[in-house]
Amino acid sequence: MRVTLPDGAVRVFPKGVTFEAIAEAFDPAVARQAIAALVDGVERDIYLPLHADARVAFITPDSPQALEIYRHTTSHLLAHAVKDLFPEVKIGVGPATEEGFFYDFEREAPFTAEDLERIEARMREIKARDFPIRRIEQPKAEALEYFNTLGDNLKVELVADKGGEVVSCYRQDRFMDFCTGPHLPSTGRIGAFKLLSVAGAYWKGSEQNQQLQRIYGTAFPREDQLAQHLKLLEEAKKRDHRKLGPALDLFSIEETAGPGLIFWHPNGTVVRQILEDFWKEEHRRRGYQLVTTPHIARDELWRLSGHLDYYKDNMYTFAIEEAGYVIKPMNCPGHSLIYKSRLRSYRELPIRYAELGTVYRNERSGVLHGMMRVRGFTQDDAHIYCTREQILDEILGVLDLVIAFLRAFGYERYEVDLSVRDPAHPGRYAGDASGWEMAEGALTRALEARSLRFTRREGEAVFYGPKIDVRMFDAIGRPWQGPTVQFDFNLPRRLGIHYIAADSSATPVVMVHRAIYGSLERFMGALVEHYAGAFPLWLAPVQAVAMSITDRTREHARRIRDAMREAGLRCDLDDRNEKIGAKIRDAQIMKVPFMLIAGDREAQAGTVAVRSRKEGDLGPMPVEAIRDRMVTMQRERVLGP
RNA sequence: GCUGGCGUAGCUCAGCGGGUAGAGCAGCUGAUUUGUAAUCAGCGGGUCGGGGGUUCAAAUCCCUUCGCCAGCUCCA
């Protein structure tokens, strides 16, 4: 039997040799490390035998596939411990996730924090016992009987749903779980882990089913990796916009007014208006026309657009003189009415309508989250109405705009998804196939033309059209929902949006929705977390604070403040009867980019001692020097210190 | 909406086998006139999220409601 090893060498082994033995023959150091084998690209348990020629490689704790195996095996350890401590508990599913792992359990009483501690302690005991973990392939009927005997009805359901006659299970000591594997070869090989929380989760992910208790945890091959992960969670907590927002006096949510509604304070409004101004400027430059549409409209409009049928539960409706009205949850029907207010010639196209439109949606109470998920928000919405021939150029224009914005805010890393039709169910979609083909082709070619790598997601398109979604990664590597570009083959048809073509026929227009910020609220929240509240100068609500050291230098400090304001900078004055250290501390806590300190020496010389929040004391300099530096930083939207 | 947890001063938190509420920071007043992350002293501040109940007595026990947090489901 010929085995091709990772270094390309071919060696002959007897049939039935285990991967462990192959590893040993390849490199004893690798053999000690190996946790699983890759056989012709398929992951297999390290102790299993090989029966035919194959390419064999080894997964070690540093391999990209390792993390999932560690986590998945730790989830089995969790279930094992829970079964030990609470034999009456029924086990559900327990996969590895991006962040760690979880396992779902059915149990009358809720798991308490103390239960989690006990379970974790038991997990450590089982790990210490170093039980071998072995794959068992058995007839489906036998596995069914096994889980039936235990009363594990959830597992029975899972096994029964599984196709084929033979199923695989994994056993460690007296605990056995239905699983495809692979797993670590023994419980002692499990690395560092920690249980984190317990939450409800619907069986098989359906709201119709019963709710189980899901225990979350995370696991890594080594302790230092776990420690680093926990540190990242701490860091994320410090950046939480729900903490920083009120602390920096940017916004608040008022219980008296209701959940999911944002009150933008003066500091937050400064940032918001910069976002708005920047946005308007960039859009006008690129041939967008700004429009304004009403906040309420007859439900007739929403019936025509189809939204009322589909999203009734999420729309706020009311009556005026017995006529039904809707508070707008979207801007597109309004923009389309402007388009339709008169006949449009092909000569006018493309038409690009843009609006910072405030909409209200009745989000279910459980989904509300700071500024990220709210009931009232302002979309940076624009709709492009064009001909089929113009599609590619329009998409290119949108992508250029998207890239410019990501760069301006310092989102260096992003991922792009292209969502297209599910080829298996062509009937599910609005519009004709040729339109979809053209749209999908244009999106693909535009992405390629701008050298944007993207993931094509079959069947992920919404029913009305294909789309591009951008995920942007913040300063500590977390993903955020970013810009989106969506074709719409539904609304033009429903609302009858046409243009008069060169042959004077009424031709359906191609409509594209697109948003860069998404919502000002969500984007603001993401920015706060991205910068940890320390906005770059061009966005900072307060760019500098002029500080007097004693009452003697109040006037000089005031003159410095005025000089900054004169130059269009946002500068406050701190002439309180406090020591300079206290003033600096307060400004530092408010994350003000520059502190402009006025003492006797500076008053004498007509200078200012500058301190940067990031770089510390920069020493004395002429007032004009720091003023000009800040003006330049503002104009060029510098992101650094 | 669902499961679980949590609501005490503006903020962070203590008090909770029932006996009528406390600290630090912030705020206010005064003293101090200060050189790169907290000057000192004094003072004021709370329907213990709201409502109902049990009790001689409730921040503490029970019910209910509102809000927040984690997750699930949802997100045009």
Side-chain angles (χ1 to χ4, degrees):
Chain A
M1 189 174 70
R2 295 158 56 83
V3 175
T4 311
L5 293 171
D7 59 5
V10 177
R11 296 198 34 182
V12 177
F13 290 94
K15 265 199 174 167
V17 66
T18 67
F19 298 114
E20 275 168 326
I22 297 172
E24 190 65 36
F26 168 61
D27 180 348
V30 169
R32 274 195 300 280
Q33 290 266 298
I35 56 165
L38 260 184
V39 184
D40 293 327
V42 180
E43 295 176 14
R44 300 285 288 155
D45 299 295
I46 194 72
Y47 49 81
L48 292 178
L50 180 65
H51 296 293
D53 292 359
R55 294 185 74 87
V56 176
F58 301 99
I59 299 173
T60 65
D62 296 320
S63 307
Q65 303 93 336
L67 204 51
E68 190 184 340
I69 297 174
Y70 273 90
R71 288 172 171 175
H72 192 181
T73 304
T74 311
S75 90
H76 277 217
L77 179 67
L78 165 60
H80 186 166
V82 168
K83 274 286 197 183
D84 273 7
L85 296 170
F86 311 97
E88 76 286 359
V89 170
K90 314 272 192 279
I91 57 176
V93 295
T97 65
E98 286 279 310
E99 297 267 287
F101 64 88
F102 64 78
Y103 213 109
D104 287 347
F105 302 98
E106 187 177 56
R107 181 188 184 222
E108 278 293 315
F111 286 114
T112 64
E114 295 74 55
D115 289 338
L116 285 200
E117 276 175 36
R118 281 182 64 204
I119 293 165
E120 199 178 296
R122 182 71 189 137
M123 287 168 72
R124 298 196 188 290
E125 285 169 32
I126 299 169
K127 176 185 162 174
R129 296 281 296 278
D130 197 18
F131 295 116
I133 301 172
R134 285 297 173 268
R135 180 185 179 90
I136 297 165
E137 293 188 1
Q138 58 188 325
K140 198 162 149 181
E142 266 177 43
L144 281 173
E145 198 194 323
Y146 175 81
F147 291 114
N148 247 322
T149 311
L150 289 180
D152 262 320
N153 52 305
L154 300 175
K155 276 293 167 202
V156 169
E157 198 177 327
L158 291 173
V159 176
D161 287 350
K162 170 93 179 166
E165 278 315 300
V166 174
V167 297
S168 65
C169 291
Y170 281 78
R171 176 182 287 283
Q172 54 201 54
D173 191 35
R174 294 211 303 277
F175 173 76
M176 188 170 85
D177 200 353
F178 167 56
C179 184
T180 47
H183 280 286
L184 297 169
S186 75
T187 61
R189 297 289 291 273
I190 289 170
F193 59 86
K194 185 172 170 61
L195 297 185
L196 295 173
S197 61
V198 53
Y202 297 107
W203 171 236
K204 292 183 172 175
S206 168
E207 231 172 347
Q208 312 305 322
N209 291 339
Q210 78 265 37
Q211 211 163 22
L212 308 174
Q213 297 187 60
R214 174 170 294 179
I215 297 179
Y216 281 92
T218 193
F220 293 88
R222 296 194 314 271
E223 288 291 344
D224 61 306
Q225 294 166 321
L226 173 65
Q228 200 196 335
H229 178 78
L230 296 177
K231 218 171 120 193
L232 188 76
L233 293 182
E234 283 298 309
E235 174 64 21
K237 219 170 164 184
K238 274 191 272 179
R239 288 169 176 260
D240 194 328
H241 75 284
R242 293 168 302 182
K243 289 298 282 185
L244 283 173
L248 299 175
D249 207 10
L250 298 169
F251 74 92
S252 61
I253 296 170
E254 300 297 326
E255 195 173 333
T256 321
L261 301 169
I262 304 296
F263 288 78
W264 295 72
H265 295 200
N267 280 346
T269 301
V270 168
V271 183
R272 177 180 172 131
Q273 289 188 336
I274 295 166
L275 297 181
E276 291 180 356
D277 292 345
F278 178 53
W279 187 88
K280 287 177 191 165
E281 195 183 309
E282 287 295 315
H283 281 72
R284 285 199 198 99
R285 264 180 4 125
R286 293 161 196 263
Y288 285 79
Q289 297 173 285
L290 299 190
V291 296
T292 306
T293 61
H295 290 82
I296 63 172
R298 282 218 176 92
D299 54 15
E300 181 61 18
L301 175 61
W302 303 97
R303 204 163 283 130
L304 271 175
S305 72
H307 290 104
L308 200 56
D309 285 341
Y310 206 72
Y311 294 108
K312 194 175 193 339
D313 292 345
N314 294 305
M315 290 165 65
Y316 295 113
T317 57
F318 63 105
I320 298 177
E321 292 177 344
E322 277 150 62
Y325 273 78
V326 168
I327 303 176
K328 72 171 168 180
M330 295 202 80
N331 300 301
C332 33
H335 292 184
S336 298
L337 288 183
I338 295 176
Y339 178 98
K340 280 188 49 168
S341 62
R342 60 176 172 79
L343 276 185
R344 302 290 176 179
S345 154
Y346 71 97
R347 296 173 190 275
E348 290 182 72
L349 302 184
I351 286 175
R352 311 184 189 95
Y353 289 148
E355 176 179 17
L356 292 164
T358 303
V359 299
Y360 290 85
R361 295 176 184 178
N362 182 21
E363 302 284 4
R364 294 161 88 181
S365 59
V367 306
L368 299 175
H369 183 93
M371 291 187 116
M372 301 299 174
R373 196 74 185 272
V374 290
R375 291 193 171 138
F377 56 99
T378 301
Q379 290 184 309
D380 69 311
D381 219 349
H383 298 92
I384 298 169
Y385 303 90
C386 65
T387 67
R388 290 192 172 196
E389 292 68 38
Q390 293 167 331
I391 288 176
L392 181 61
D393 279 345
E394 288 307 305
I395 301 300
L396 285 171
V398 172
L399 290 183
D400 290 342
L401 185 58
V402 165
I403 291 164
F405 270 70
L406 290 172
R407 191 165 296 149
F409 295 101
Y411 289 105
E412 282 157 25
R413 199 181 133 219
Y414 45 87
E415 287 177 355
V416 181
D417 282 341
L418 171 63
S419 299
V420 299
R421 279 167 303 177
D422 181 353
H425 301 92
R428 279 186 190 167
Y429 300 96
D432 59 77
S434 73
W436 275 80
E437 248 161 63
M438 191 161 302
E440 292 178 2
L443 290 174
T444 308
R445 268 179 289 142
L447 287 169
E448 283 165 355
R450 289 297 178 264
S451 310
L452 291 167
R453 293 226 311 274
F454 63 94
T455 310
R456 191 182 163 88
R457 301 198 180 271
E458 305 263 348
E460 288 295 305
V462 257
F463 79 94
Y464 54 78
K467 61 171 179 174
I468 288 173
D469 290 303
V470 180
R471 238 186 333 279
M472 50 199 205
F473 292 85
D474 73 6
I476 59 170
R478 296 172 302 170
W480 298 85
Q481 192 179 322
T484 175
V485 190
Q486 315 192 345
F487 275 90
D488 191 334
F489 295 117
N490 186 48
L491 212 53
R493 190 180 45 102
R494 293 193 71 111
L495 295 180
I497 313 175
H498 303 290
Y499 64 92
I500 305 302
D503 65 0
S504 63
S505 65
T507 309
V509 80
V510 175
M511 181 174 177
V512 178
H513 308 253
R514 33 109 300 166
I516 314 291
Y517 294 140
S519 97
L520 286 173
E521 284 74 10
R522 194 182 64 205
F523 195 79
M524 174 76 167
L527 277 185
V528 169
E529 306 217 359
H530 181 46
Y531 299 127
F535 289 103
L537 183 122
W538 74 285
L539 291 169
V542 178
Q543 296 169 313
V545 175
M547 308 173 174
S548 55
I549 290 183
T550 69
D551 286 352
R552 291 190 301 281
T553 59
R554 274 178 125 156
E555 264 318 301
H556 187 52
R558 192 191 308 273
R559 278 195 295 273
I560 293 168
R561 191 264 321 261
D562 292 346
M564 297 300 144
R565 287 193 173 169
E566 204 56 39
L569 297 164
R570 297 181 290 278
C571 185
D572 284 350
L573 174 67
D574 187 350
D575 60 355
R576 290 175 304 164
N577 181 3
E578 280 291 351
K579 294 175 76 170
I580 195 66
K583 296 184 184 186
I584 286 169
R585 180 166 194 271
D586 289 345
Q588 203 75 45
I589 286 169
M590 291 303 282
K591 303 180 191 284
V592 176
F594 288 103
M595 285 150 262
L596 308 176
I597 297 163
D600 287 329
R601 296 199 293 269
E602 289 75 25
Q604 270 302 314
T607 58
V608 58
V610 178
R611 181 188 166 96
S612 144
R613 75 179 159 194
K614 292 209 180 103
E615 299 169 312
D617 192 351
L618 302 181
M621 62 183 77
V623 176
E624 300 73 41
I626 184 61
R627 180 198 65 192
D628 294 348
R629 177 169 162 189
M630 288 174 62
V631 166
T632 305
M633 287 174 75
Q634 166 150 284
R635 190 181 56 234
E636 295 177 0
R637 297 192 267 268
V638 171
L639 293 170

